[in-house]
Amino acid sequence: MNTTSTKVKITVGLLLAGCSFLTNPAHAQLIKYESKDSLNGKPRVSSALIGRLKLNGIYDITGNLHGNSSFLIHENDVYGKNKPAFWVDMRQSQLRFKTTTQLKNGKEISSMLEGDFEGGPNRTSLFRLRHAWIKYNNFTLGQNWSTFGDPDLWPASLLDWDGPTGMVLSRRIQLNYRNKFSEKGRAGYEVAVEQMEPRRLFDYTTSENLGVDYAPRRMPDAIGALRYDYDNGGFLKVAGIYRNIGYDSKNVVDGLDDTQDYKFKSANGYGVTAMASIFFNKKSGLVNNLQAQFNVGKGISDYFLAVGGSGLDGFANDNKLGELDLLNVHSGFISYQRFWTPKFHTMVIASYNHFSGAEATASPWNEMTNYHFTLNLSYNILDNLMVGFEPQIGYKELHLDQGMKKGKDALRINFGMLYNF
């Protein structure tokens, strides 16, 4: 078939498909198109445009986390006053475009482009890129969920999409290779090189007066993972990461201000994450889900879903000018989702993270611990329409000099709606 003719037909088909709305119980689709010509026994090109409307309703009772649709307990000001606040937005609504193209060699290439409206400063609701990748055979290239973590590990009905405070999950520009050890086996492996999103250039706290400033990265992060899959969708996974975090170091003792006095240095970060998702099939046909994750490492906060972007990879050393000290961290979460009926389900989540090693740095604290507890009650009005109610409570504690501690709690009530179309 003529290639140009096919492209024209595909374009016209997409425009005509926009006049209809196709819905199925598994996942709603705003627009779906399949080319009339076939290859490998499938439509040569298939495409789908998927939309998700998400309403975030928030009432902050205690704490001072107002103005953010996510319960970022690590940002709770332990010295600040309680600021009760009401908040509603639709900024996490998404659009996703997916395509699959059959190839003459019997294989296929797939792609996805996805964004939401969380972009821009001061919550201006600009369109933001979330995913942009292509997959061929065992390779993935583009921006996708990091190999250090796993998209299949997610408390499904959670309204707060920044997740538990101790969860490792982030989007990265990457080249990923994934395969099984044997064709019919359950065990597999992944290797990847990844780079942080361009919107977040670095995730350590700079201190020019202590001789530490931002420098571009000179090498990507390297990640390896092992995964074991169960027939019902559950899995076990462990992943390790190595990071070479670059920064500009300056001898501020000499009092020189010229930028050429900076020299490039780097600090080594590393970490391990272990996770599990287990499904329990009941005689009634309902399925419950237990998930858990534990993480430990140094200079890996940028990979945390809720904490990433907060400058917690490291701080400038107070005693050794021009040196960046990376922080130690361990964290985790556990969640359990139970379906009481096909439509009504509940979920409980407990999570924490603990940062240490900041005693001799520019950090205002020596250690920080954050606790986060969530209860979710959700009801599926339709196959593609869910409403939920989600109380959250958190506590932030700082360890200061001379054995002093300072902490503050936060209490939030979430309510919301998720509609797939």
Side-chain angles (χ1 to χ4, degrees):
M1 178 176 288
N2 182 273
T3 303
T4 303
S5 175
T6 302
K7 289 181 178 179
V8 172
K9 290 181 179 179
I10 292 171
T11 303
V12 173
L14 286 172
L15 293 174
L16 293 175
C19 298
S20 63
F21 293 81
L22 305 179
T23 303
N24 63 58
H27 203 127
Q29 295 175 337
L30 174 62
I31 299 174
K32 184 177 180 180
Y33 174 77
E34 294 181 347
S35 62
K36 293 182 179 180
D37 55 332
S38 62
L39 188 62
N40 307 324
K42 301 177 181 179
R44 195 180 69 83
V45 177
S46 60
S47 303
L49 178 62
I50 299 170
R52 309 182 81 187
L53 296 179
K54 185 170 187 284
L55 168 69
N56 293 313
I58 295 165
Y59 183 66
D60 286 311
I61 300 173
T62 63
N64 39 69
L65 298 176
H66 62 287
N68 197 311
S69 57
S70 300
F71 191 71
L72 306 179
I73 186 61
H74 67 282
E75 293 187 358
N76 199 33
D77 184 0
V78 299
Y79 301 99
K81 297 181 179 180
N82 291 328
K83 293 184 178 179
F86 178 75
W87 174 272
V88 179
D89 72 48
M90 299 285 294
R91 299 174 68 236
Q92 289 181 323
S93 299
Q94 299 175 358
L95 288 174
R96 176 188 302 173
F97 183 67
K98 301 178 68 175
T99 66
T100 301
T101 302
Q102 302 300 317
L103 304 176
K104 292 182 179 180
N105 62 1
K107 300 182 183 296
E108 62 183 33
I109 185 168
S110 59
S111 64
M112 185 174 82
L113 179 66
E114 179 188 272
D116 61 18
F117 301 89
E118 286 259 68
N122 303 317
R123 298 178 292 279
T124 48
S125 299
L126 298 180
F127 192 72
R128 177 186 68 162
L129 181 68
R130 285 172 49 86
H131 294 276
W133 51 255
I134 59 172
K135 291 184 179 181
Y136 173 74
N137 208 3
N138 299 313
F139 290 93
T140 300
L141 177 63
Q143 183 163 299
N144 196 13
W145 293 114
S146 172
T147 312
F148 192 64
D150 201 288
D152 292 333
L153 190 78
W154 178 255
S157 55
L158 191 65
L159 294 177
D160 187 338
W161 280 2
D162 263 348
T165 191
M167 184 179 194
V168 163
L169 184 68
S170 65
R171 290 181 293 273
R172 303 278 150 168
I173 297 174
Q174 62 188 266
L175 174 62
N176 170 286
Y177 179 83
R178 181 176 182 174
N179 206 348
K180 296 284 189 180
F181 286 109
S182 62
E183 185 176 351
K184 297 182 179 180
R186 295 182 176 181
Y189 63 94
E190 292 180 79
V191 290
V193 287
E194 301 184 357
Q195 179 77 330
M196 68 181 67
E197 295 178 77
R199 69 185 178 89
R200 195 164 66 217
L201 296 177
F202 59 92
D203 202 20
Y204 49 82
T205 300
T206 60
S207 299
E208 292 188 38
N209 60 319
L210 294 177
V212 173
D213 200 2
Y214 163 70
R217 298 283 298 277
R218 296 192 178 182
M219 62 180 294
D221 299 338
I223 301 170
L226 299 173
R227 174 169 164 149
Y228 184 88
D229 291 296
Y230 295 99
D231 291 336
N232 65 354
F235 73 97
L236 305 173
K237 180 176 178 179
V238 61
I241 186 172
Y242 169 75
R243 313 185 69 198
N244 185 261
I245 301 174
Y247 63 98
D248 270 339
S249 174
K250 182 179 179 181
N251 182 5
V252 294
V253 176
D254 295 339
L256 301 176
D257 295 326
D258 198 307
T259 55
Q260 67 181 359
D261 296 320
Y262 281 94
K263 63 179 181 178
F264 179 85
K265 282 190 174 183
S266 63
N268 295 319
Y270 48 84
V272 174
T273 178
M275 66 202 77
S277 178
I278 302 173
F279 291 95
F280 302 93
N281 299 304
K282 301 171 65 176
K283 293 181 180 179
S284 62
L286 301 177
V287 180
N288 300 329
N289 183 217
L290 173 69
Q291 296 190 0
Q293 183 182 46
F294 179 75
N295 319 290
V296 62
K298 187 173 186 177
I300 61 170
S301 74
D302 191 39
Y303 280 80
F304 283 59
L305 185 59
V307 177
S310 301
L312 293 174
D313 272 348
F315 291 87
N317 191 303
D318 263 338
N319 301 322
K320 298 178 181 179
L321 300 179
E323 293 289 328
L324 176 69
D325 286 359
L326 300 182
L327 298 187
N328 302 309
V329 61
H330 57 84
S331 71
F333 84 91
I334 185 169
S335 70
Y336 184 73
Q337 181 189 43
R338 174 168 179 171
F339 274 81
W340 300 89
T341 73
K343 291 183 175 292
F344 177 66
H345 43 102
T346 60
M347 183 172 60
V348 292
I349 305 175
S351 181
Y352 87 99
N353 60 52
H354 177 77
F355 291 87
S356 62
E359 289 83 358
T361 72
S363 169
W365 41 265
N366 299 328
E367 298 181 21
M368 177 174 67
T369 306
N370 300 291
Y371 302 97
H372 183 186
F373 303 94
T374 301
L375 171 65
N376 176 279
L377 298 88
S378 296
Y379 187 80
N380 299 330
I381 299 175
L382 301 172
D383 290 334
N384 60 339
L385 174 61
M386 184 192 80
V387 293
F389 178 77
E390 190 173 271
Q392 297 189 88
I393 186 170
Y395 186 76
K396 175 181 177 179
E397 181 178 80
L398 302 181
H399 291 220
L400 309 173
D401 291 335
Q402 300 176 343
M404 297 179 61
K405 296 181 181 180
K406 182 70 174 178
K408 186 171 182 58
D409 67 294
L411 176 61
R412 168 176 286 188
I413 303 296
N414 283 355
F415 59 92
M417 171 273 294
L418 179 62
Y419 179 65
N420 297 318
F421 64 93

